[in-house]
Amino acid sequence: MVTKHCIINKHLSSKDIGCGKCSGNDYYLVDRKGYKLEVINDGFCNLRILNPKKLHLIDDVGYLKSIGVSKVRLEFTKEDKKEVIDFLKKI
């Protein structure tokens, strides 16, 4: 999820837009089940709230092709180069 409302700035009671307090530190939201959802800055004062479990539809590629999907968008957030390459080899 992406939010344009900086929950970190609000939590720290800062009124500075573009303060950068969300960069360089690790922030998490904790859901009702105790899962930690990492909050990362995209560099433009938008925050991405990441699911603690990686989501992918690699097992559904065949089905997607069968219903006419010819293009997909891949979005990576915190994966390193090796993880991305390994994922792309599976497609």
Side-chain angles (χ1 to χ4, degrees), residues 8 19-27 40-45 47:
I8 296 165
C19 66
K21 291 184 173 114
C22 54
S23 299
N25 294 310
D26 294 330
Y27 293 101
I40 60 172
N41 178 357
D42 71 356
F44 300 101
C45 283
L47 296 179

Side-chain angles (χ1 to χ4, degrees), residues 43-74:
F44 300 101
C45 283
N46 301 314
L47 296 179
R48 292 181 179 268
I49 301 170
L50 305 180
N51 190 325
K53 183 177 177 183
K54 292 184 181 180
L55 173 68
H56 65 80
L57 298 173
I58 193 73
D59 297 331
D60 298 320
V61 169
Y63 170 72
L64 294 171
K65 287 180 180 179
S66 76
I67 61 170
V69 175
S70 61
K71 294 180 174 68
V72 295
R73 175 183 171 168
L74 302 176

Side-chain angles (χ1 to χ4, degrees), residues 66-83:
S66 76
I67 61 170
V69 175
S70 61
K71 294 180 174 68
V72 295
R73 175 183 171 168
L74 302 176
E75 186 169 338
F76 298 97
T77 52
K78 304 255 328 181
E79 293 77 10
D80 60 29
K81 183 178 179 178
K82 182 183 180 326
E83 287 178 287

